[in-house]
Short mmCIF file of all heavy atoms in Angstrom, two decimals:
data_model
loop_
_atom_site.label_atom_id
_atom_site.label_comp_id
_atom_site.label_asym_id
_atom_site.label_seq_id
_atom_site.Cartn_x
_atom_site.Cartn_y
_atom_site.Cartn_z
N GLN A 71 -20.96 41.36 -36.42
CA GLN A 71 -21.24 42.36 -37.46
C GLN A 71 -22.18 43.47 -37.01
O GLN A 71 -22.33 44.47 -37.71
CB GLN A 71 -21.77 41.69 -38.73
CG GLN A 71 -23.17 41.12 -38.62
CD GLN A 71 -23.60 40.46 -39.92
OE1 GLN A 71 -22.78 40.09 -40.75
NE2 GLN A 71 -24.90 40.33 -40.09
N ILE A 72 -22.80 43.35 -35.83
CA ILE A 72 -23.72 44.39 -35.36
C ILE A 72 -23.13 45.21 -34.21
O ILE A 72 -23.79 46.09 -33.69
CB ILE A 72 -25.08 43.81 -34.95
CG1 ILE A 72 -24.94 42.90 -33.73
CG2 ILE A 72 -25.73 43.10 -36.11
CD1 ILE A 72 -26.26 42.56 -33.08
N GLY A 73 -21.90 44.91 -33.81
CA GLY A 73 -21.26 45.65 -32.71
C GLY A 73 -21.87 45.36 -31.35
O GLY A 73 -21.93 46.25 -30.50
N ALA A 74 -22.29 44.12 -31.12
CA ALA A 74 -22.87 43.74 -29.83
C ALA A 74 -21.82 43.87 -28.73
O ALA A 74 -20.63 43.71 -28.97
CB ALA A 74 -23.39 42.31 -29.89
N GLN A 75 -22.29 44.15 -27.53
CA GLN A 75 -21.42 44.33 -26.37
C GLN A 75 -21.60 43.17 -25.39
O GLN A 75 -22.59 42.44 -25.46
CB GLN A 75 -21.76 45.66 -25.68
CG GLN A 75 -21.49 46.88 -26.54
CD GLN A 75 -20.03 47.01 -26.92
OE1 GLN A 75 -19.14 46.95 -26.07
NE2 GLN A 75 -19.76 47.16 -28.22
N PRO A 76 -20.64 42.99 -24.46
CA PRO A 76 -20.78 41.92 -23.47
C PRO A 76 -22.12 41.99 -22.74
O PRO A 76 -22.64 43.07 -22.47
CB PRO A 76 -19.61 42.17 -22.52
CG PRO A 76 -18.58 42.81 -23.39
CD PRO A 76 -19.36 43.69 -24.33
N ASN A 77 -22.69 40.82 -22.48
CA ASN A 77 -23.98 40.62 -21.82
C ASN A 77 -25.19 40.91 -22.71
O ASN A 77 -26.32 40.79 -22.26
CB ASN A 77 -24.09 41.39 -20.51
CG ASN A 77 -23.06 40.94 -19.51
OD1 ASN A 77 -22.80 39.74 -19.37
ND2 ASN A 77 -22.44 41.88 -18.83
N ASP A 78 -24.98 41.30 -23.97
CA ASP A 78 -26.10 41.48 -24.89
C ASP A 78 -26.65 40.11 -25.29
O ASP A 78 -25.89 39.17 -25.54
CB ASP A 78 -25.66 42.20 -26.17
CG ASP A 78 -25.44 43.69 -25.98
OD1 ASP A 78 -25.70 44.19 -24.87
OD2 ASP A 78 -25.02 44.35 -26.95
N ARG A 79 -27.97 40.00 -25.35
CA ARG A 79 -28.61 38.80 -25.88
C ARG A 79 -28.75 39.01 -27.38
O ARG A 79 -29.29 40.03 -27.82
CB ARG A 79 -29.98 38.58 -25.24
CG ARG A 79 -29.85 38.29 -23.74
CD ARG A 79 -31.14 37.82 -23.10
NE ARG A 79 -31.69 36.61 -23.66
CZ ARG A 79 -31.22 35.37 -23.46
NH1 ARG A 79 -30.14 35.21 -22.72
NH2 ARG A 79 -31.79 34.32 -23.99
N VAL A 80 -28.22 38.06 -28.15
CA VAL A 80 -28.17 38.22 -29.60
C VAL A 80 -28.71 36.99 -30.30
O VAL A 80 -28.89 35.93 -29.70
CB VAL A 80 -26.72 38.50 -30.07
CG1 VAL A 80 -26.23 39.83 -29.55
CG2 VAL A 80 -25.79 37.38 -29.67
N VAL A 81 -28.94 37.15 -31.59
CA VAL A 81 -29.33 36.04 -32.46
C VAL A 81 -28.13 35.73 -33.34
O VAL A 81 -27.56 36.64 -33.95
CB VAL A 81 -30.56 36.42 -33.33
CG1 VAL A 81 -30.91 35.27 -34.26
CG2 VAL A 81 -31.73 36.79 -32.46
N ILE A 82 -27.74 34.46 -33.36
CA ILE A 82 -26.60 34.06 -34.19
C ILE A 82 -27.08 33.13 -35.29
O ILE A 82 -28.13 32.49 -35.18
CB ILE A 82 -25.49 33.35 -33.37
CG1 ILE A 82 -26.03 32.08 -32.71
CG2 ILE A 82 -24.89 34.32 -32.37
CD1 ILE A 82 -24.94 31.19 -32.16
N GLU A 83 -26.30 33.09 -36.34
CA GLU A 83 -26.62 32.23 -37.47
C GLU A 83 -25.38 31.42 -37.82
O GLU A 83 -24.27 31.96 -37.85
CB GLU A 83 -27.05 33.10 -38.66
CG GLU A 83 -27.50 32.33 -39.87
CD GLU A 83 -28.01 33.27 -40.95
OE1 GLU A 83 -27.25 34.16 -41.38
OE2 GLU A 83 -29.17 33.11 -41.33
N GLY A 84 -25.55 30.13 -38.06
CA GLY A 84 -24.46 29.27 -38.49
C GLY A 84 -24.64 28.90 -39.95
O GLY A 84 -25.77 28.90 -40.45
N GLU A 85 -23.56 28.59 -40.63
CA GLU A 85 -23.66 28.17 -42.03
C GLU A 85 -24.36 26.83 -42.11
O GLU A 85 -23.97 25.86 -41.47
CB GLU A 85 -22.27 28.09 -42.66
CG GLU A 85 -21.69 29.43 -42.99
CD GLU A 85 -20.44 29.31 -43.85
OE1 GLU A 85 -20.31 28.30 -44.59
OE2 GLU A 85 -19.61 30.21 -43.76
N PHE A 86 -25.39 26.75 -42.93
CA PHE A 86 -26.22 25.55 -43.06
C PHE A 86 -25.38 24.35 -43.49
O PHE A 86 -25.53 23.26 -42.95
CB PHE A 86 -27.35 25.81 -44.06
CG PHE A 86 -28.31 24.67 -44.18
CD1 PHE A 86 -29.24 24.45 -43.18
CD2 PHE A 86 -28.28 23.82 -45.27
CE1 PHE A 86 -30.13 23.40 -43.27
CE2 PHE A 86 -29.17 22.78 -45.37
CZ PHE A 86 -30.10 22.57 -44.37
N LYS A 87 -24.48 24.54 -44.43
CA LYS A 87 -23.65 23.45 -44.95
C LYS A 87 -22.80 22.84 -43.83
O LYS A 87 -22.70 21.63 -43.69
CB LYS A 87 -22.77 23.97 -46.08
CG LYS A 87 -21.86 22.95 -46.70
CD LYS A 87 -21.02 23.60 -47.80
CE LYS A 87 -19.97 22.64 -48.30
NZ LYS A 87 -19.10 23.25 -49.29
N GLN A 88 -22.19 23.69 -43.01
CA GLN A 88 -21.35 23.20 -41.92
C GLN A 88 -22.19 22.48 -40.88
O GLN A 88 -21.80 21.43 -40.38
CB GLN A 88 -20.61 24.35 -41.26
CG GLN A 88 -19.51 24.93 -42.10
CD GLN A 88 -18.83 26.09 -41.41
OE1 GLN A 88 -19.42 26.80 -40.61
NE2 GLN A 88 -17.56 26.28 -41.73
N LEU A 89 -23.35 23.03 -40.55
CA LEU A 89 -24.21 22.41 -39.54
C LEU A 89 -24.69 21.04 -40.00
O LEU A 89 -24.73 20.08 -39.23
CB LEU A 89 -25.39 23.31 -39.22
CG LEU A 89 -25.04 24.61 -38.50
CD1 LEU A 89 -26.27 25.49 -38.38
CD2 LEU A 89 -24.45 24.34 -37.14
N MET A 90 -25.05 20.92 -41.27
CA MET A 90 -25.52 19.64 -41.79
C MET A 90 -24.38 18.62 -41.85
O MET A 90 -24.57 17.44 -41.61
CB MET A 90 -26.16 19.80 -43.17
CG MET A 90 -27.48 20.53 -43.14
SD MET A 90 -28.73 19.67 -42.16
CE MET A 90 -28.76 20.63 -40.66
N GLY A 91 -23.18 19.09 -42.17
CA GLY A 91 -22.03 18.19 -42.17
C GLY A 91 -21.74 17.64 -40.78
O GLY A 91 -21.49 16.45 -40.61
N LEU A 92 -21.79 18.51 -39.79
CA LEU A 92 -21.57 18.07 -38.41
C LEU A 92 -22.68 17.12 -37.96
O LEU A 92 -22.42 16.12 -37.29
CB LEU A 92 -21.50 19.26 -37.46
CG LEU A 92 -20.21 20.05 -37.51
CD1 LEU A 92 -20.31 21.29 -36.63
CD2 LEU A 92 -19.02 19.21 -37.09
N ALA A 93 -23.91 17.42 -38.33
CA ALA A 93 -25.03 16.54 -37.96
C ALA A 93 -24.86 15.16 -38.59
O ALA A 93 -25.13 14.14 -37.96
CB ALA A 93 -26.36 17.16 -38.39
N ALA A 94 -24.41 15.13 -39.83
CA ALA A 94 -24.19 13.84 -40.49
C ALA A 94 -23.13 13.02 -39.77
O ALA A 94 -23.28 11.82 -39.58
CB ALA A 94 -23.79 14.06 -41.95
N ILE A 95 -22.06 13.69 -39.36
CA ILE A 95 -20.98 12.98 -38.66
C ILE A 95 -21.46 12.49 -37.30
O ILE A 95 -21.22 11.35 -36.92
CB ILE A 95 -19.74 13.89 -38.53
CG1 ILE A 95 -19.11 14.08 -39.90
CG2 ILE A 95 -18.73 13.30 -37.55
CD1 ILE A 95 -18.08 15.16 -39.96
N VAL A 96 -22.15 13.33 -36.58
CA VAL A 96 -22.57 12.97 -35.23
C VAL A 96 -23.65 11.90 -35.22
O VAL A 96 -23.64 11.00 -34.39
CB VAL A 96 -23.04 14.23 -34.47
CG1 VAL A 96 -23.70 13.88 -33.16
CG2 VAL A 96 -21.86 15.15 -34.22
N TYR A 97 -24.61 11.97 -36.15
CA TYR A 97 -25.74 11.05 -36.12
C TYR A 97 -25.65 9.91 -37.14
O TYR A 97 -25.91 8.76 -36.80
CB TYR A 97 -27.06 11.83 -36.35
CG TYR A 97 -27.36 12.80 -35.26
CD1 TYR A 97 -27.25 14.16 -35.46
CD2 TYR A 97 -27.74 12.36 -34.00
CE1 TYR A 97 -27.51 15.06 -34.44
CE2 TYR A 97 -28.01 13.25 -32.97
CZ TYR A 97 -27.90 14.60 -33.21
OH TYR A 97 -28.16 15.48 -32.20
N ALA A 98 -25.31 10.23 -38.37
CA ALA A 98 -25.39 9.23 -39.44
C ALA A 98 -24.22 8.25 -39.42
O ALA A 98 -24.42 7.06 -39.66
CB ALA A 98 -25.47 9.92 -40.79
N VAL A 99 -23.01 8.72 -39.18
CA VAL A 99 -21.85 7.84 -39.24
C VAL A 99 -21.92 6.70 -38.22
O VAL A 99 -21.74 5.53 -38.58
CB VAL A 99 -20.53 8.64 -39.14
CG1 VAL A 99 -19.33 7.73 -38.96
CG2 VAL A 99 -20.34 9.52 -40.37
N PRO A 100 -22.21 6.98 -36.94
CA PRO A 100 -22.30 5.86 -35.99
C PRO A 100 -23.40 4.85 -36.37
O PRO A 100 -23.19 3.64 -36.29
CB PRO A 100 -22.63 6.53 -34.65
CG PRO A 100 -22.11 7.91 -34.79
CD PRO A 100 -22.31 8.27 -36.23
N LEU A 101 -24.52 5.36 -36.83
CA LEU A 101 -25.62 4.47 -37.21
C LEU A 101 -25.25 3.63 -38.43
O LEU A 101 -25.51 2.43 -38.47
CB LEU A 101 -26.87 5.30 -37.49
CG LEU A 101 -28.19 4.56 -37.53
CD1 LEU A 101 -28.44 3.83 -36.22
CD2 LEU A 101 -29.32 5.54 -37.81
N ALA A 102 -24.64 4.28 -39.42
CA ALA A 102 -24.24 3.56 -40.62
C ALA A 102 -23.19 2.49 -40.29
O ALA A 102 -23.27 1.36 -40.79
CB ALA A 102 -23.69 4.53 -41.66
N LEU A 103 -22.21 2.84 -39.45
CA LEU A 103 -21.19 1.86 -39.08
C LEU A 103 -21.80 0.69 -38.30
O LEU A 103 -21.36 -0.46 -38.46
CB LEU A 103 -20.08 2.51 -38.26
CG LEU A 103 -19.06 3.32 -39.06
CD1 LEU A 103 -18.09 4.02 -38.13
CD2 LEU A 103 -18.32 2.44 -40.03
N PHE A 104 -22.79 0.97 -37.47
CA PHE A 104 -23.47 -0.11 -36.75
C PHE A 104 -24.06 -1.11 -37.75
O PHE A 104 -23.81 -2.32 -37.65
CB PHE A 104 -24.57 0.43 -35.85
CG PHE A 104 -25.42 -0.65 -35.24
CD1 PHE A 104 -24.97 -1.34 -34.13
CD2 PHE A 104 -26.63 -1.01 -35.80
CE1 PHE A 104 -25.75 -2.37 -33.57
CE2 PHE A 104 -27.41 -2.02 -35.26
CZ PHE A 104 -26.96 -2.70 -34.14
N PHE A 105 -24.84 -0.62 -38.71
CA PHE A 105 -25.51 -1.52 -39.65
C PHE A 105 -24.54 -2.21 -40.59
O PHE A 105 -24.69 -3.39 -40.89
CB PHE A 105 -26.59 -0.77 -40.44
CG PHE A 105 -27.81 -0.50 -39.62
CD1 PHE A 105 -28.19 0.79 -39.32
CD2 PHE A 105 -28.59 -1.54 -39.13
CE1 PHE A 105 -29.31 1.05 -38.55
CE2 PHE A 105 -29.72 -1.30 -38.36
CZ PHE A 105 -30.08 0.00 -38.07
N VAL A 106 -23.51 -1.50 -41.04
CA VAL A 106 -22.52 -2.11 -41.94
C VAL A 106 -21.78 -3.24 -41.23
O VAL A 106 -21.66 -4.35 -41.76
CB VAL A 106 -21.55 -1.05 -42.49
CG1 VAL A 106 -20.34 -1.69 -43.15
CG2 VAL A 106 -22.26 -0.13 -43.47
N LEU A 107 -21.28 -2.97 -40.02
CA LEU A 107 -20.52 -4.01 -39.32
C LEU A 107 -21.43 -5.14 -38.82
O LEU A 107 -21.00 -6.29 -38.76
CB LEU A 107 -19.71 -3.41 -38.18
CG LEU A 107 -18.52 -2.55 -38.64
CD1 LEU A 107 -17.72 -2.06 -37.44
CD2 LEU A 107 -17.63 -3.31 -39.59
N PHE A 108 -22.68 -4.84 -38.53
CA PHE A 108 -23.64 -5.89 -38.18
C PHE A 108 -23.83 -6.82 -39.37
O PHE A 108 -23.80 -8.05 -39.23
CB PHE A 108 -24.98 -5.29 -37.75
CG PHE A 108 -25.97 -6.32 -37.29
CD1 PHE A 108 -26.03 -6.68 -35.96
CD2 PHE A 108 -26.84 -6.94 -38.18
CE1 PHE A 108 -26.94 -7.63 -35.51
CE2 PHE A 108 -27.74 -7.90 -37.76
CZ PHE A 108 -27.79 -8.25 -36.42
N ALA A 109 -23.98 -6.22 -40.56
CA ALA A 109 -24.16 -7.03 -41.78
C ALA A 109 -22.90 -7.84 -42.08
O ALA A 109 -22.99 -9.02 -42.46
CB ALA A 109 -24.50 -6.12 -42.96
N VAL A 110 -21.73 -7.24 -41.90
CA VAL A 110 -20.48 -7.96 -42.14
C VAL A 110 -20.37 -9.14 -41.18
O VAL A 110 -20.02 -10.26 -41.58
CB VAL A 110 -19.27 -7.01 -41.98
CG1 VAL A 110 -17.96 -7.78 -41.89
CG2 VAL A 110 -19.22 -6.02 -43.13
N GLY A 111 -20.70 -8.90 -39.91
CA GLY A 111 -20.65 -9.99 -38.92
C GLY A 111 -21.64 -11.09 -39.24
O GLY A 111 -21.34 -12.28 -39.10
N SER A 112 -22.81 -10.72 -39.71
CA SER A 112 -23.83 -11.69 -40.07
C SER A 112 -23.40 -12.51 -41.29
O SER A 112 -23.55 -13.73 -41.31
CB SER A 112 -25.15 -10.98 -40.35
OG SER A 112 -26.17 -11.90 -40.63
N LEU A 113 -22.86 -11.83 -42.30
CA LEU A 113 -22.39 -12.53 -43.51
C LEU A 113 -21.17 -13.40 -43.22
O LEU A 113 -20.95 -14.39 -43.91
CB LEU A 113 -22.06 -11.51 -44.61
CG LEU A 113 -23.27 -10.77 -45.20
CD1 LEU A 113 -22.80 -9.68 -46.15
CD2 LEU A 113 -24.21 -11.74 -45.90
N ALA A 114 -20.40 -13.04 -42.21
CA ALA A 114 -19.21 -13.83 -41.85
C ALA A 114 -19.59 -15.04 -41.00
O ALA A 114 -18.72 -15.82 -40.62
CB ALA A 114 -18.20 -12.96 -41.12
N GLY A 115 -20.88 -15.17 -40.67
CA GLY A 115 -21.33 -16.33 -39.91
C GLY A 115 -21.07 -16.25 -38.42
O GLY A 115 -20.93 -17.27 -37.77
N LEU A 116 -21.02 -15.04 -37.87
CA LEU A 116 -20.75 -14.88 -36.45
C LEU A 116 -21.98 -15.12 -35.58
O LEU A 116 -21.87 -15.12 -34.36
CB LEU A 116 -20.19 -13.48 -36.17
CG LEU A 116 -18.84 -13.14 -36.80
CD1 LEU A 116 -18.45 -11.71 -36.47
CD2 LEU A 116 -17.77 -14.11 -36.34
N GLY A 117 -23.14 -15.29 -36.19
CA GLY A 117 -24.37 -15.45 -35.42
C GLY A 117 -24.88 -14.10 -34.95
O GLY A 117 -24.23 -13.07 -35.13
N GLU A 118 -26.05 -14.11 -34.33
CA GLU A 118 -26.65 -12.85 -33.90
C GLU A 118 -25.81 -12.12 -32.87
O GLU A 118 -25.63 -10.90 -32.94
CB GLU A 118 -28.04 -13.10 -33.32
CG GLU A 118 -29.11 -13.27 -34.36
CD GLU A 118 -30.49 -13.39 -33.74
OE1 GLU A 118 -30.72 -12.82 -32.65
OE2 GLU A 118 -31.33 -14.06 -34.36
N GLY A 119 -25.30 -12.83 -31.89
CA GLY A 119 -24.51 -12.20 -30.83
C GLY A 119 -23.23 -11.58 -31.37
O GLY A 119 -22.88 -10.45 -31.02
N GLY A 120 -22.53 -12.32 -32.20
CA GLY A 120 -21.28 -11.81 -32.77
C GLY A 120 -21.53 -10.64 -33.70
O GLY A 120 -20.77 -9.65 -33.69
N ALA A 121 -22.58 -10.73 -34.51
CA ALA A 121 -22.91 -9.63 -35.42
C ALA A 121 -23.31 -8.38 -34.63
O ALA A 121 -22.92 -7.26 -34.98
CB ALA A 121 -24.02 -10.04 -36.37
N ALA A 122 -24.08 -8.59 -33.56
CA ALA A 122 -24.48 -7.45 -32.73
C ALA A 122 -23.26 -6.82 -32.06
O ALA A 122 -23.16 -5.59 -31.99
CB ALA A 122 -25.49 -7.90 -31.67
N ALA A 123 -22.36 -7.63 -31.57
CA ALA A 123 -21.14 -7.11 -30.94
C ALA A 123 -20.32 -6.30 -31.94
O ALA A 123 -19.80 -5.23 -31.62
CB ALA A 123 -20.31 -8.24 -30.36
N LEU A 124 -20.22 -6.82 -33.15
CA LEU A 124 -19.49 -6.10 -34.20
C LEU A 124 -20.20 -4.80 -34.55
O LEU A 124 -19.57 -3.76 -34.76
CB LEU A 124 -19.33 -6.99 -35.44
CG LEU A 124 -18.16 -6.69 -36.36
CD1 LEU A 124 -16.84 -6.70 -35.60
CD2 LEU A 124 -18.12 -7.71 -37.48
N GLY A 125 -21.53 -4.84 -34.59
CA GLY A 125 -22.31 -3.63 -34.87
C GLY A 125 -22.12 -2.59 -33.78
O GLY A 125 -21.97 -1.39 -34.07
N ILE A 126 -22.12 -3.03 -32.53
CA ILE A 126 -21.90 -2.10 -31.41
C ILE A 126 -20.50 -1.50 -31.48
O ILE A 126 -20.31 -0.32 -31.23
CB ILE A 126 -22.17 -2.80 -30.07
CG1 ILE A 126 -23.67 -3.09 -29.94
CG2 ILE A 126 -21.68 -1.96 -28.89
CD1 ILE A 126 -24.04 -3.98 -28.78
N LEU A 127 -19.53 -2.31 -31.86
CA LEU A 127 -18.17 -1.80 -32.05
C LEU A 127 -18.17 -0.70 -33.13
O LEU A 127 -17.53 0.34 -32.96
CB LEU A 127 -17.22 -2.93 -32.42
CG LEU A 127 -15.79 -2.50 -32.77
CD1 LEU A 127 -15.10 -1.91 -31.54
CD2 LEU A 127 -15.00 -3.67 -33.31
N GLY A 128 -18.89 -0.94 -34.21
CA GLY A 128 -18.99 0.07 -35.27
C GLY A 128 -19.62 1.35 -34.77
O GLY A 128 -19.16 2.46 -35.10
N PHE A 129 -20.67 1.23 -33.96
CA PHE A 129 -21.34 2.40 -33.41
C PHE A 129 -20.37 3.19 -32.52
O PHE A 129 -20.28 4.41 -32.62
CB PHE A 129 -22.58 1.97 -32.61
CG PHE A 129 -23.37 3.13 -32.08
CD1 PHE A 129 -24.25 3.80 -32.90
CD2 PHE A 129 -23.22 3.54 -30.77
CE1 PHE A 129 -24.98 4.88 -32.42
CE2 PHE A 129 -23.94 4.61 -30.27
CZ PHE A 129 -24.83 5.28 -31.10
N VAL A 130 -19.64 2.47 -31.65
CA VAL A 130 -18.69 3.13 -30.76
C VAL A 130 -17.59 3.82 -31.57
O VAL A 130 -17.19 4.95 -31.25
CB VAL A 130 -18.09 2.11 -29.76
CG1 VAL A 130 -16.91 2.69 -29.00
CG2 VAL A 130 -19.17 1.64 -28.80
N LEU A 131 -17.11 3.17 -32.62
CA LEU A 131 -16.10 3.80 -33.48
C LEU A 131 -16.65 5.05 -34.15
O LEU A 131 -15.94 6.06 -34.29
CB LEU A 131 -15.60 2.81 -34.53
CG LEU A 131 -14.73 1.67 -34.02
CD1 LEU A 131 -14.44 0.68 -35.15
CD2 LEU A 131 -13.44 2.20 -33.43
#
Side-chain angles (χ1 to χ4, degrees):
Q71 70 181 22
I72 66 166
Q75 296 299 309
N77 298 319
D78 285 356
R79 295 190 60 74
V80 294
V81 178
I82 61 167
E83 184 175 58
E85 284 191 27
F86 185 76
K87 180 181 172 184
Q88 289 179 331
L89 293 173
M90 290 299 103
L92 285 174
I95 290 168
V96 170
Y97 295 108
V99 170
L101 196 58
L103 282 175
F104 172 81
F105 285 115
V106 167
L107 289 183
F108 184 91
V110 166
S112 183
L113 291 173
L116 297 178
E118 280 185 29
L124 205 55
I126 291 170
L127 175 65
F129 184 81
V130 169
L131 289 174

